[in-house]
Amino acid sequence: MRELQLSGNKAGDSGMKHLSSLLEDPNCKLEKLQYHKANIGEEGFRALASALRSNPSHMRELQLSWNIAGDSGVKHLSSLLEDPNCKLEKLYLHNCSIGEEGVIALASALRSNPSHMRKLQLSHNEAGDSGVKHLCSLLEDPNCKLEKLHLFKCSIGEEGFKALASALRSNPSHMRELQLSGNKAGGSGVKHLSSLLEDPNCKLEYLHLNKCSIGEEGFRALASALRSNPSHMRELRLSGNKAGDSGMKHLSSLLKNPNCKLEKLNLNNCSIGEEGFRALASALRSNPSHMRELQLSGNKAGDSGVKHLSSLLKNPNCTLEKLYLYNCSIGEEGFRALASALRSNPSHMRELWLSNNKAGDSGVKHLCSLLEDPNCKLEKLVLQCCSITDDGFRALASALRSNPSALRNLFLLEDNQPGPSAQQLLSELRKHPNCKHLQIDGPY
């Protein structure tokens, strides 16, 4: 046995104690234990740590998220982590009621045995700036090889961001993924982080800063830093910040850099309007071959903004696979522009999210001209709440019957108005021999 998954059961501390009698057996070679959402408290963590201390050399991954560890439980676990024979590489403690004291204990333990841990998940705990500063004493250790650190919603402010940036600047070459969303970075915190990103020795590939109170100045600092060191970043998540068109223009100066290899960009709900969409499209047209996923939902694109974006999509060098534009104030003209662009370059797009827009039957009919193209490889299409009635449903059914092989998931029944004839057509479509892989949401 190498991997045991027991998550989502009501094991409790008693169950954990029974399992621990296996883990302490010297013949047990278990490498991965998934035990999240299992009602474990301090006593369960104590039993687990005690068992693994007597047989520490095999376990590589512990998934213990959504249990009630508390600081006391984490302190027991820390007694395992500081054991020189412990070779644990991945530790998940998401939402485990850990506070500053628990983070201090973890950091202290890992400092005494720093070379094995590669991924540390501490999101949804109350680390705060003080706890993060103690964690930074681990990160700046030259023997620390941590590659992924998740601190989503950990009550971190400017001082915590300053400490993180400083620690990682002194040991920048290992970290690949930083998840810091849901903290109060603000412009000042992001500027500290930017001092790390511009370091030529920084190899960070994934940076998540959703809902971090970042405005235009923060976007300017991020873009400037990444322009000076653009070749490593692959995924940048900045949703729920106040970029505005100005912030988007700063970011676009990074995207058009020929050395920028960014593949995923998340900018949902960032107050971006037509001018921001224009700047984004223009930048990506000059460097189109790397981007695979664009999330732009909840912005005020409108038809004009989508038309700018369409000029990117029809570029033969554009290989975008996933585009999210739900709730972007798009009407018939925007749908026409999207469909036309994708018809001229149809083979790459796999997911298109367009819910909560005013497509109407006319807009959907434009999209149907894409779906019936035999070169269209779209696999997922989301059109919920798009003012589609019987006429639009009939057009969709007809298009899919003529080219049914690519699409796998169609979401459109919620908050649209299919009449009886459309429901009948969709039912028949499901039974069509060429549509056996197509999943359509809803009961029809």
Side-chain angles (χ1 to χ4, degrees):
M1 183 67 68
R2 293 296 181 265
E3 184 171 332
L4 189 56
Q5 296 196 23
L6 294 167
S7 299
N9 293 296
K10 300 296 181 184
D13 290 342
S14 299
M16 186 72 253
K17 289 175 183 177
H18 292 304
L19 189 64
S20 295
S21 63
L22 161 68
L23 298 175
E24 65 192 1
D25 188 314
N27 295 312
C28 175
K29 306 293 192 296
L30 197 67
E31 296 175 1
K32 296 182 182 180
L33 176 60
Q34 295 211 5
Y35 221 74
H36 65 275
K37 290 188 177 179
N39 263 12
I40 311 169
E42 179 190 347
E43 288 307 307
F45 275 80
R46 184 203 299 266
L48 173 64
S50 175
L52 288 173
R53 278 202 312 274
S54 64
N55 182 27
S57 59
H58 302 290
M59 190 65 71
R60 294 296 182 269
E61 182 175 321
L62 272 178
Q63 167 57 280
L64 298 167
S65 297
W66 297 90
N67 289 299
I68 311 298
D71 290 341
S72 300
V74 169
K75 287 176 182 177
H76 294 306
L77 199 61
S78 297
S79 65
L80 163 68
L81 298 174
E82 65 192 2
D83 188 318
N85 295 313
C86 174
K87 306 292 192 299
L88 199 66
E89 296 174 1
K90 296 179 181 179
L91 178 59
Y92 298 79
L93 292 169
H94 179 108
N95 198 11
C96 280
S97 304
I98 307 169
E100 179 185 345
E101 290 304 307
V103 176
I104 291 172
L106 274 175
S108 175
L110 288 170
R111 277 202 312 274
S112 65
N113 183 28
S115 58
H116 302 290
M117 190 65 69
R118 295 296 182 268
K119 182 171 183 177
L120 188 56
Q121 161 62 284
L122 292 170
S123 296
H124 275 274
N125 291 296
E126 292 297 326
D129 288 343
S130 300
V132 166
K133 287 177 182 177
H134 289 292
L135 199 60
C136 289
S137 63
L138 163 68
L139 298 175
E140 64 193 3
D141 187 317
N143 295 311
C144 175
K145 306 293 193 297
L146 198 66
E147 297 173 0
K148 298 180 181 182
L149 177 60
H150 289 206
L151 293 168
F152 172 70
K153 280 196 174 180
C154 280
S155 304
I156 308 169
E158 180 190 345
E159 288 305 308
F161 274 79
K162 183 194 297 217
L164 273 173
S166 175
L168 288 171
R169 278 203 311 273
S170 67
N171 183 27
S173 58
H174 301 290
M175 190 65 71
R176 295 295 182 270
E177 185 173 317
L178 265 181
Q179 160 58 287
L180 296 168
S181 297
N183 292 296
K184 296 295 182 184
S188 301
V190 168
K191 287 177 183 177
H192 293 304
L193 199 61
S194 297
S195 65
L196 163 68
L197 298 175
E198 65 192 2
D199 188 317
N201 294 312
C202 175
K203 307 293 194 297
L204 200 65
E205 297 175 2
Y206 303 89
L207 178 59
H208 294 198
L209 292 168
N210 297 330
K211 295 184 178 179
C212 278
S213 305
I214 308 170
E216 179 191 345
E217 287 307 306
F219 274 79
R220 185 202 300 268
L222 274 175
S224 175
L226 288 170
R227 277 202 313 273
S228 66
N229 183 29
S231 59
H232 303 290
M233 191 65 69
R234 295 296 181 268
E235 182 173 317
L236 190 55
R237 295 186 176 269
L238 294 165
S239 291
N241 292 298
K242 296 295 181 184
D245 290 341
S246 300
M248 187 69 255
K249 289 175 183 177
H250 293 305
L251 200 59
S252 295
S253 65
L254 161 68
L255 298 174
K256 66 185 178 185
N257 186 316
N259 295 313
C260 175
K261 306 294 194 298
L262 199 65
E263 297 173 1
K264 296 182 180 181
L265 178 60
N266 187 324
L267 290 166
N268 294 334
N269 301 305
C270 279
S271 305
I272 306 169
E274 179 191 346
E275 288 306 307
F277 274 79
R278 185 202 300 267
L280 173 65
S282 175
L284 287 173
R285 278 201 311 272
S286 65
N287 183 28
S289 58
H290 303 289
M291 191 66 71
R292 295 295 181 270
E293 181 176 317
L294 267 179
Q295 295 202 25
L296 297 165
S297 298
N299 292 297
K300 298 297 181 183
D303 290 340
S304 300
V306 168
K307 287 177 182 177
H308 293 305
L309 199 61
S310 296
S311 65
L312 162 69
L313 297 175
K314 65 186 178 185
N315 185 319
N317 295 313
C318 174
T319 52
L320 197 67
E321 297 175 359
K322 298 180 182 181
L323 178 60
Y324 295 70
L325 290 169
Y326 54 85
N327 194 24
C328 279
S329 305
I330 309 171
E332 179 190 347
E333 288 306 307
F335 275 77
R336 185 203 299 266
L338 273 175
S340 175
L342 288 171
R343 278 202 313 273
S344 66
N345 183 26
S347 59
H348 302 289
M349 190 65 70
R350 295 296 183 268
E351 293 187 17
L352 194 53
W353 296 66
L354 295 166
S355 294
N356 286 80
N357 290 296
K358 297 297 180 183
D361 293 337
S362 300
V364 166
K365 287 177 182 178
H366 293 304
L367 209 55
C368 288
S369 64
L370 165 67
L371 295 174
E372 60 194 8
D373 186 322
N375 295 311
C376 175
K377 301 297 190 292
L378 198 65
E379 296 174 1
K380 181 180 286 189
L381 177 60
V382 185
L383 290 168
Q384 295 160 331
C385 195
C386 279
S387 304
I388 309 170
T389 67
D390 216 40
D391 202 22
F393 276 81
R394 283 197 297 271
L396 278 169
S398 174
L400 290 170
R401 279 201 305 271
S402 68
N403 181 31
S405 58
L407 202 65
R408 292 294 182 268
N409 299 101
L410 179 61
F411 297 90
L412 79 160
L413 295 175
E414 183 181 331
D415 291 325
N416 289 305
Q417 295 85 42
S421 61
Q423 294 168 12
Q424 179 63 29
L425 279 168
L426 289 173
S427 179
E428 291 172 3
L429 185 63
R430 280 190 171 126
K431 298 172 185 175
H432 195 286
N434 294 328
C435 295
K436 58 185 178 181
H437 300 297
L438 180 61
Q439 298 294 318
I440 304 174
D441 68 325
Y444 305 113

mmCIF file of all heavy atoms in Angstrom, residues 366-386:
data_model
loop_
_atom_site.group_PDB
_atom_site.id
_atom_site.type_symbol
_atom_site.label_atom_id
_atom_site.label_comp_id
_atom_site.label_asym_id
_atom_site.label_seq_id
_atom_site.Cartn_x
_atom_site.Cartn_y
_atom_site.Cartn_z
ATOM 1 N N HIS A 366 -25.564 33.608 -34.710
ATOM 2 C CA HIS A 366 -24.198 33.891 -35.181
ATOM 3 C C HIS A 366 -23.230 32.832 -34.653
ATOM 4 O O HIS A 366 -22.361 32.350 -35.382
ATOM 5 C CB HIS A 366 -23.743 35.281 -34.731
ATOM 6 C CG HIS A 366 -24.499 36.406 -35.365
ATOM 7 N ND1 HIS A 366 -24.605 36.565 -36.728
ATOM 8 C CD2 HIS A 366 -25.198 37.435 -34.810
ATOM 9 C CE1 HIS A 366 -25.333 37.643 -36.999
ATOM 10 N NE2 HIS A 366 -25.703 38.183 -35.847
ATOM 11 N N LEU A 367 -23.401 32.475 -33.392
ATOM 12 C CA LEU A 367 -22.531 31.473 -32.782
ATOM 13 C C LEU A 367 -22.723 30.105 -33.446
ATOM 14 O O LEU A 367 -21.763 29.320 -33.556
ATOM 15 C CB LEU A 367 -22.841 31.387 -31.279
ATOM 16 C CG LEU A 367 -21.728 30.973 -30.330
ATOM 17 C CD1 LEU A 367 -20.509 31.872 -30.494
ATOM 18 C CD2 LEU A 367 -22.241 31.054 -28.892
ATOM 19 N N CYS A 368 -23.927 29.827 -33.890
ATOM 20 C CA CYS A 368 -24.216 28.543 -34.549
ATOM 21 C C CYS A 368 -23.396 28.374 -35.825
ATOM 22 O O CYS A 368 -23.034 27.256 -36.194
ATOM 23 C CB CYS A 368 -25.699 28.420 -34.864
ATOM 24 S SG CYS A 368 -26.711 28.163 -33.381
ATOM 25 N N SER A 369 -23.112 29.495 -36.497
ATOM 26 C CA SER A 369 -22.306 29.408 -37.723
ATOM 27 C C SER A 369 -20.894 28.915 -37.416
ATOM 28 O O SER A 369 -20.221 28.351 -38.279
ATOM 29 C CB SER A 369 -22.242 30.773 -38.420
ATOM 30 O OG SER A 369 -21.580 31.726 -37.591
ATOM 31 N N LEU A 370 -20.437 29.155 -36.166
ATOM 32 C CA LEU A 370 -19.153 28.590 -35.726
ATOM 33 C C LEU A 370 -19.308 27.103 -35.415
ATOM 34 O O LEU A 370 -18.490 26.281 -35.838
ATOM 35 C CB LEU A 370 -18.656 29.345 -34.487
ATOM 36 C CG LEU A 370 -17.524 28.680 -33.690
ATOM 37 C CD1 LEU A 370 -16.234 28.643 -34.515
ATOM 38 C CD2 LEU A 370 -17.295 29.407 -32.374
ATOM 39 N N LEU A 371 -20.353 26.752 -34.679
ATOM 40 C CA LEU A 371 -20.535 25.366 -34.222
ATOM 41 C C LEU A 371 -20.672 24.379 -35.372
ATOM 42 O O LEU A 371 -20.268 23.216 -35.257
ATOM 43 C CB LEU A 371 -21.760 25.272 -33.312
ATOM 44 C CG LEU A 371 -21.678 26.027 -31.983
ATOM 45 C CD1 LEU A 371 -23.010 25.956 -31.253
ATOM 46 C CD2 LEU A 371 -20.564 25.474 -31.110
ATOM 47 N N GLU A 372 -21.254 24.822 -36.487
ATOM 48 C CA GLU A 372 -21.443 23.887 -37.599
ATOM 49 C C GLU A 372 -20.220 23.791 -38.504
ATOM 50 O O GLU A 372 -20.189 22.974 -39.428
ATOM 51 C CB GLU A 372 -22.676 24.288 -38.417
ATOM 52 C CG GLU A 372 -22.625 25.656 -39.035
ATOM 53 C CD GLU A 372 -23.990 26.111 -39.537
ATOM 54 O OE1 GLU A 372 -24.988 25.420 -39.267
ATOM 55 O OE2 GLU A 372 -24.058 27.183 -40.189
ATOM 56 N N ASP A 373 -19.191 24.573 -38.196
ATOM 57 C CA ASP A 373 -17.933 24.477 -38.945
ATOM 58 C C ASP A 373 -17.219 23.180 -38.555
ATOM 59 O O ASP A 373 -16.926 22.960 -37.379
ATOM 60 C CB ASP A 373 -17.054 25.688 -38.607
ATOM 61 C CG ASP A 373 -15.784 25.760 -39.452
ATOM 62 O OD1 ASP A 373 -15.186 24.715 -39.734
ATOM 63 O OD2 ASP A 373 -15.375 26.884 -39.806
ATOM 64 N N PRO A 374 -16.892 22.306 -39.503
ATOM 65 C CA PRO A 374 -16.244 21.030 -39.151
ATOM 66 C C PRO A 374 -14.859 21.186 -38.523
ATOM 67 O O PRO A 374 -14.341 20.253 -37.904
ATOM 68 C CB PRO A 374 -16.164 20.287 -40.492
ATOM 69 C CG PRO A 374 -16.305 21.341 -41.543
ATOM 70 C CD PRO A 374 -17.165 22.419 -40.946
ATOM 71 N N ASN A 375 -14.263 22.369 -38.677
ATOM 72 C CA ASN A 375 -12.950 22.617 -38.053
ATOM 73 C C ASN A 375 -13.060 23.131 -36.622
ATOM 74 O O ASN A 375 -12.044 23.312 -35.953
ATOM 75 C CB ASN A 375 -12.160 23.635 -38.891
ATOM 76 C CG ASN A 375 -11.815 23.095 -40.260
ATOM 77 O OD1 ASN A 375 -11.315 21.978 -40.380
ATOM 78 N ND2 ASN A 375 -12.095 23.883 -41.296
ATOM 79 N N CYS A 376 -14.284 23.385 -36.172
ATOM 80 C CA CYS A 376 -14.487 23.886 -34.807
ATOM 81 C C CYS A 376 -14.277 22.746 -33.812
ATOM 82 O O CYS A 376 -14.902 21.693 -33.915
ATOM 83 C CB CYS A 376 -15.895 24.456 -34.673
ATOM 84 S SG CYS A 376 -16.304 24.984 -32.991
ATOM 85 N N LYS A 377 -13.398 22.965 -32.837
ATOM 86 C CA LYS A 377 -13.057 21.939 -31.845
ATOM 87 C C LYS A 377 -13.563 22.310 -30.436
ATOM 88 O O LYS A 377 -13.074 21.786 -29.439
ATOM 89 C CB LYS A 377 -11.539 21.740 -31.797
ATOM 90 C CG LYS A 377 -10.913 21.321 -33.143
ATOM 91 C CD LYS A 377 -11.435 19.976 -33.589
ATOM 92 C CE LYS A 377 -10.651 19.446 -34.791
ATOM 93 N NZ LYS A 377 -10.853 20.218 -36.011
ATOM 94 N N LEU A 378 -14.530 23.228 -30.369
ATOM 95 C CA LEU A 378 -15.077 23.656 -29.086
ATOM 96 C C LEU A 378 -15.670 22.470 -28.331
ATOM 97 O O LEU A 378 -16.453 21.699 -28.882
ATOM 98 C CB LEU A 378 -16.150 24.716 -29.315
ATOM 99 C CG LEU A 378 -16.548 25.585 -28.113
ATOM 100 C CD1 LEU A 378 -15.385 26.444 -27.662
ATOM 101 C CD2 LEU A 378 -17.735 26.471 -28.489
ATOM 102 N N GLU A 379 -15.278 22.309 -27.053
ATOM 103 C CA GLU A 379 -15.741 21.187 -26.236
ATOM 104 C C GLU A 379 -16.738 21.605 -25.162
ATOM 105 O O GLU A 379 -17.576 20.810 -24.756
ATOM 106 C CB GLU A 379 -14.539 20.502 -25.567
ATOM 107 C CG GLU A 379 -13.574 19.875 -26.566
ATOM 108 C CD GLU A 379 -12.322 19.332 -25.911
ATOM 109 O OE1 GLU A 379 -12.211 19.436 -24.655
ATOM 110 O OE2 GLU A 379 -11.455 18.809 -26.627
ATOM 111 N N LYS A 380 -16.646 22.845 -24.691
ATOM 112 C CA LYS A 380 -17.564 23.323 -23.648
ATOM 113 C C LYS A 380 -18.080 24.707 -24.035
ATOM 114 O O LYS A 380 -17.295 25.620 -24.310
ATOM 115 C CB LYS A 380 -16.869 23.382 -22.283
ATOM 116 C CG LYS A 380 -17.779 23.861 -21.151
ATOM 117 C CD LYS A 380 -17.060 23.921 -19.816
ATOM 118 C CE LYS A 380 -16.838 22.541 -19.235
ATOM 119 N NZ LYS A 380 -16.337 22.586 -17.850
ATOM 120 N N LEU A 381 -19.410 24.849 -24.026
ATOM 121 C CA LEU A 381 -20.045 26.132 -24.346
ATOM 122 C C LEU A 381 -21.066 26.450 -23.260
ATOM 123 O O LEU A 381 -21.964 25.650 -22.996
ATOM 124 C CB LEU A 381 -20.725 26.055 -25.706
ATOM 125 C CG LEU A 381 -21.505 27.287 -26.172
ATOM 126 C CD1 LEU A 381 -20.591 28.507 -26.260
ATOM 127 C CD2 LEU A 381 -22.181 27.026 -27.511
ATOM 128 N N VAL A 382 -20.920 27.611 -22.621
ATOM 129 C CA VAL A 382 -21.782 27.997 -21.507
ATOM 130 C C VAL A 382 -22.578 29.236 -21.919
ATOM 131 O O VAL A 382 -22.011 30.306 -22.148
ATOM 132 C CB VAL A 382 -20.950 28.277 -20.233
ATOM 133 C CG1 VAL A 382 -21.866 28.563 -19.058
ATOM 134 C CG2 VAL A 382 -20.044 27.087 -19.904
ATOM 135 N N LEU A 383 -23.918 29.073 -22.011
ATOM 136 C CA LEU A 383 -24.799 30.143 -22.488
ATOM 137 C C LEU A 383 -26.005 30.332 -21.562
ATOM 138 O O LEU A 383 -27.096 30.660 -22.023
ATOM 139 C CB LEU A 383 -25.292 29.813 -23.903
ATOM 140 C CG LEU A 383 -24.266 29.888 -25.037
ATOM 141 C CD1 LEU A 383 -24.822 29.269 -26.307
ATOM 142 C CD2 LEU A 383 -23.851 31.330 -25.282
ATOM 143 N N GLN A 384 -25.818 30.119 -20.276
ATOM 144 C CA GLN A 384 -26.928 30.303 -19.341
ATOM 145 C C GLN A 384 -27.265 31.787 -19.210
ATOM 146 O O GLN A 384 -26.387 32.644 -19.286
ATOM 147 C CB GLN A 384 -26.554 29.698 -17.985
ATOM 148 C CG GLN A 384 -26.362 28.189 -18.038
ATOM 149 C CD GLN A 384 -25.553 27.649 -16.875
ATOM 150 O OE1 GLN A 384 -24.705 28.337 -16.333
ATOM 151 N NE2 GLN A 384 -25.808 26.413 -16.478
ATOM 152 N N CYS A 385 -28.551 32.075 -19.023
ATOM 153 C CA CYS A 385 -29.022 33.444 -18.814
ATOM 154 C C CYS A 385 -28.579 34.379 -19.938
ATOM 155 O O CYS A 385 -27.951 35.400 -19.704
ATOM 156 C CB CYS A 385 -28.524 33.970 -17.459
ATOM 157 S SG CYS A 385 -29.363 35.457 -16.891
ATOM 158 N N CYS A 386 -28.917 33.982 -21.182
ATOM 159 C CA CYS A 386 -28.530 34.770 -22.354
ATOM 160 C C CYS A 386 -29.731 35.188 -23.213
ATOM 161 O O CYS A 386 -29.576 35.469 -24.399
ATOM 162 C CB CYS A 386 -27.543 33.974 -23.207
ATOM 163 S SG CYS A 386 -25.841 34.049 -22.592
#
